[in-house]
Amino acid sequence: MMKVKIINLSEHPLPAYETVASAGMDLRAFLDAPLTLAPLQRALIKTGLYIELPAGTEAQIRPRSGLARKKGITVLNAPGTIDADYRGEVGVLLVNLSDTPFVVENGERIAQMVIARHEHIQWKEAEVLEDTARGMGGFGSTGTK
């Protein structure tokens, strides 16, 4: 199991996996006062968390599916990426895509964080690419409906 250093300046519990098979951990808003997001308004919501990820990993900030479905609240740059060399406070860029105002409360679960490994690559310029069954088919080219 990977160990990740974390500083928690909020009074909220550390992000945790809710089940043994969960990929993400819920992030909570760290606010002095409730914040109202009007329809189509966006705001950077602080969490009070600072993390030190190992090189070769990133934290992906993703919407909570229930909040998106029930309230129309999502992460604007989903998935947001926190690089391993970032040491600032973890923030979540929320947007209200509904037609009604939404109040973000201190301690509310606003997003989820997934820790993922990644690779650095080196480009190898070429004149042609290997052919595949899909070829150059783009958006929607693999399905019939």
Side-chain angles (χ1 to χ4, degrees):
M1 181 169 293
M2 180 188 310
K3 303 250 185 219
V4 175
K5 289 183 183 178
I6 187 168
I7 296 172
N8 183 2
L9 298 183
S10 80
E11 67 276 9
H12 310 305
L14 291 177
Y17 299 102
E18 295 297 323
T19 69
V20 296
S22 294
M25 300 169 276
D26 287 339
L27 294 175
R28 296 178 183 271
F30 180 47
L31 301 169
D32 294 328
L35 175 85
T36 300
L37 282 176
L40 299 180
Q41 185 180 9
R42 62 189 179 271
L44 181 62
I45 309 297
K46 300 295 186 170
T47 63
L49 302 174
Y50 299 75
I51 59 178
E52 183 180 318
L53 293 170
T57 64
E58 65 166 326
Q60 298 175 357
I61 308 303
R62 301 178 181 185
R64 291 191 64 239
S65 56
L67 200 56
R69 183 179 64 81
K70 294 173 187 172
K71 302 291 184 177
I73 305 301
T74 191
V75 176
L76 187 59
N77 61 328
T81 293
I82 299 172
D83 294 310
D85 57 354
Y86 175 68
R87 294 296 182 266
E89 184 173 4
V90 173
V92 177
L93 187 55
L94 284 186
V95 63
N96 181 354
L97 297 180
S98 76
D99 57 359
T100 58
F102 177 77
V103 178
V104 182
E105 302 281 351
N106 183 43
E108 185 163 3
R109 296 179 301 154
I110 56 169
Q112 59 180 324
M113 178 171 60
V114 173
I115 307 301
R117 296 188 186 280
H118 65 80
E119 297 288 331
H120 276 199
I121 60 126
Q122 187 173 42
W123 294 112
K124 179 180 175 184
E125 291 194 52
E127 297 294 323
V128 295
L129 302 176
E130 279 188 37
D131 198 19
T132 66
R134 182 177 186 173
M136 295 181 73
F139 294 100
S141 66
T142 61
T144 57
K145 290 191 180 196

